[in-house]
Amino acid sequence: MNWEAVIGLEIHIQLSTQSKIFSGASTAYGADPNRQACAIDLGMPGVLPVINQEVIRRAVMFGLAINAEIAPRSVFARKHYFYPDLPKGYQISQYELPIVANGRLEIVAEEGAEPRTIGITRAHLEEDAGKSLHEGFESMTGIDLNRAGTPLVECVSEPDIRTPAEAAAYARKMHALVRYLDICDGNMQEGSFRVDANVSVRPRGTEAFGTRTETKNVNSFRNLEKAIAFEIERQIEVLEDGGEIVQETRLFDADRGETRSMRSKEEAHDYRYFPDPDLLPVEIDDAFVEAARSRLPELPDAKAARFAADYGLSAADASQLTATREQANYFEAVVAASEGAGGKLAANWVLSELAGALNRDGVDLTEAPLSAEALGGLIARIHDNTISGKIAKDVFDSLWKGEGHTADEVIEARGLKQITDTGAIEAFVDEVIASNPDQVEQYKAGKTKVVGFLVGQVMKASQGKANPKEVNKLMTAKLNES
């Protein structure tokens, strides 16, 4: 049977406010356990939650960025379940009236693929729970409530995703978006951006959904793709063997590359939702929405379109350069410092040499030892023929290692300036022609590809400093004369 996967993602986006959603306690990461949980976070008797207005503003910005509807009136509800890291016995969330609804996000799963629009059912506000700690507690569990009350936006997609690659592309696009908006730091290792995957399968061409499973808290995009791929295959195998899929929550074991059962999946009625009597409805007027809109930065899709139009870049390069706000800003700073070299040359260096060095050394762009201004200066020297592209790679390596502050310093110190004087290059060409009579005869006999060898000999003799274009031009002219 030909099967089709139906995938929906729930993404928990931790809003990077300084204080929690209903209290003034700090949200800073890394404090000793239970040092940042106040009486409100713990649900102590006699305390009342108060909404953090900055949380509302960031949620509205997010809704605008995903082309969603902003609810003029939304309501907080109590979601009841019992777990050691949930001190109140309920989580304050939103149920029937979320703050954001009916959004969309356009993705391209793979280079060359057609864009697809993924619907977003809702994005609602809620407080985070605490954290259970198992290491270092013999046969016991420790509870750290520092995270309790941290503000989250839970973004729920429509079941529009069909492949693991599309799921990863959607999650990456959402991750880039919230970082562009500067509403979340996106740190998956610290739990700031957590993805749950709902997966089911059905015979291709049918409309009814199959029974779904939810794989919780996948901590990387690669693991998300692997977890969904495994779950699809597992469900198909169960169904083809005559079994039934059980609606349940599963965990992904990255070491073994498989999902495993965690618990049966709760339904909405299991949580006994009802409006929180301690919190007033949130009412948002047009002025608040427009104030939030005025704070939106240029978003990734708009920036990519501008890069393609202004710098003559391919759609793929523009998309790659705008994958993060930091990289987009770095690229534009390189272009600005390149003295008119243009965007294409800058894009090539950012996406090849720079990306390669970052990957090799395992460093983030924000930690790169080479500033955008220094790289722009290097590209300017290629553009004005001070150095060749080959020598530029040596200069790049020197700058990366801290052996100079600017390309000009390295070029001057190492005597790397390109030879552009026609007379000097002609002398090298004459010497190579005289030293390689066999190759000259091969050229005359019609084997014109041998010119590449002869040009290489000139470059070797000039220690790579001769202008390659001028060498090719003179070499060809000399060979045709003789």
Side-chain angles (χ1 to χ4, degrees):
M1 185 179 291
N2 190 8
W3 297 93
E4 176 183 60
V6 178
I7 304 162
L9 298 186
E10 298 174 12
I11 300 180
H12 292 79
I13 301 159
Q14 180 176 313
L15 299 177
S16 53
T17 53
Q18 293 184 350
S19 57
K20 296 184 179 179
I21 185 169
F22 301 119
S23 80
S26 172
T27 59
Y29 181 81
D32 290 338
N34 299 305
R35 298 304 175 103
Q36 294 178 177
C38 71
I40 294 173
D41 308 323
L42 301 179
M44 300 297 284
V47 299
L48 290 173
V50 177
I51 187 65
N52 181 341
Q53 183 170 301
E54 179 63 15
V55 168
I56 302 298
R57 185 182 68 80
R58 291 183 183 223
V60 170
M61 287 178 64
F62 177 73
L64 293 171
I66 60 170
N67 299 294
E69 300 167 7
I70 309 300
R73 183 178 185 273
S74 61
V75 174
F76 283 103
R78 291 184 179 182
K79 177 183 179 181
H80 294 81
Y81 65 94
F82 299 95
Y83 207 71
D85 59 18
L86 191 70
K88 296 192 294 286
Y90 61 86
Q91 178 189 31
I92 302 177
S93 182
Q94 292 185 317
Y95 181 51
E96 291 179 332
L97 296 174
I99 192 167
V100 170
N102 302 322
R104 63 186 184 275
L105 200 67
E106 187 176 275
I107 64 165
V108 177
E110 298 167 336
E111 189 172 339
E114 288 296 314
R116 288 202 64 224
T117 299
I118 306 301
I120 295 170
T121 309
R122 57 189 279 145
H124 60 263
L125 286 168
E126 64 185 20
E127 61 178 348
D128 207 348
K131 185 177 181 181
S132 297
L133 307 172
H134 306 289
E135 295 181 8
F137 297 92
E138 296 179 6
S139 303
M140 295 186 294
T141 297
I143 302 297
D144 178 9
L145 295 173
N146 282 345
R147 203 168 68 184
T150 297
L152 301 176
V153 165
E154 181 176 348
C155 181
V156 182
S157 83
E158 292 283 338
D160 292 341
I161 301 167
R162 293 292 173 263
T163 68
E166 286 183 357
Y170 173 85
R172 285 192 177 96
K173 186 74 173 281
M174 189 67 73
H175 186 260
L177 181 63
V178 298
R179 294 187 67 198
Y180 262 85
L181 294 171
D182 198 26
I183 62 172
C184 172
D185 64 22
N187 192 318
M188 298 182 80
Q189 285 68 41
E190 295 179 1
S192 299
F193 189 91
R194 310 197 294 271
V195 184
D196 301 338
N198 292 289
V199 179
S200 65
V201 297
R202 64 186 178 188
R204 192 174 297 277
T206 61
E207 294 295 323
F209 292 144
T211 302
R212 65 184 172 90
T213 64
E214 181 182 32
T215 302
K216 297 285 285 185
N217 292 343
V218 187
N219 64 0
S220 75
F221 302 121
R222 180 175 295 180
N223 282 345
L224 176 66
E225 203 163 347
K226 288 180 179 178
I228 293 172
F230 176 87
E231 188 59 18
I232 291 170
E233 290 301 315
R234 186 191 72 83
Q235 291 188 21
I236 291 172
E237 186 175 328
V238 168
L239 292 170
E240 290 186 342
D241 286 345
E244 294 183 355
I245 302 301
V246 177
Q247 183 167 320
E248 62 182 348
T249 299
R250 299 178 70 86
L251 290 176
F252 179 64
D253 186 330
D255 293 330
R256 301 179 65 177
E258 63 184 29
T259 66
R260 62 173 187 268
S261 181
M262 180 182 172
R263 62 175 183 265
S264 61
K265 174 64 180 171
E266 299 87 351
E267 300 284 359
H269 64 260
D270 294 324
Y271 292 120
R272 295 181 295 118
Y273 283 100
F274 64 79
D276 192 308
D278 291 338
L279 286 160
L280 292 170
V282 176
E283 295 188 352
I284 300 172
D285 59 20
D286 291 343
F288 189 91
V289 172
E290 291 311 310
R293 192 189 306 276
S294 71
R295 298 186 66 167
L296 291 176
E298 184 181 31
L299 298 176
D301 287 348
K303 194 179 286 288
R306 178 171 64 81
F307 278 16
D310 291 358
Y311 302 120
L313 305 180
S314 68
D317 283 353
S319 178
Q320 200 172 344
L321 286 165
T322 55
T324 69
R325 192 173 182 176
E326 293 82 5
Q327 181 164 267
N329 291 342
Y330 188 99
F331 165 73
E332 292 215 271
V334 170
V335 174
S338 67
E339 300 175 14
K344 286 187 177 180
L345 189 55
N348 289 340
W349 277 81
V350 170
L351 295 176
S352 57
E353 290 299 314
L354 178 69
L358 292 169
N359 185 58
R360 181 195 66 218
D361 293 353
V363 296
D364 187 78
L365 181 59
T366 57
E367 304 166 332
L370 181 64
S371 70
E373 290 70 27
L375 181 55
L378 170 61
I379 292 168
R381 297 292 80 81
I382 302 170
H383 180 62
D384 65 14
N385 290 321
T386 298
I387 55 174
S388 66
K390 183 177 180 180
I391 289 176
K393 292 184 179 181
D394 293 334
V395 176
F396 179 94
D397 289 340
S398 293
L399 290 169
W400 189 265
K401 294 172 184 174
E403 295 171 357
H405 291 93
T406 66
D408 290 337
E409 282 183 18
V410 175
I411 293 165
E412 188 66 32
R414 294 178 53 187
L416 297 175
K417 189 171 288 188
Q418 184 168 247
I419 299 169
T420 56
D421 178 65
T422 304
I425 294 174
E426 189 172 6
F428 283 118
V429 170
D430 289 340
E431 180 184 336
V432 167
I433 288 175
S435 302
N436 295 275
D438 292 344
Q439 283 75 18
V440 172
E441 288 303 316
Q442 289 174 27
Y443 181 86
K444 290 179 179 178
K447 296 181 178 179
T448 55
K449 288 185 178 180
V450 76
V451 74
F453 167 80
L454 296 171
V455 168
Q457 293 303 301
V458 173
M459 297 306 296
K460 184 177 179 181
S462 67
Q463 297 180 319
K465 296 178 185 177
N467 184 302
K469 289 183 181 178
E470 193 64 29
V471 172
N472 264 293
K473 179 181 173 183
L474 284 171
M475 179 65 74
T476 303
K478 290 271 185 179
L479 290 171
N480 289 333
E481 286 173 6
S482 58

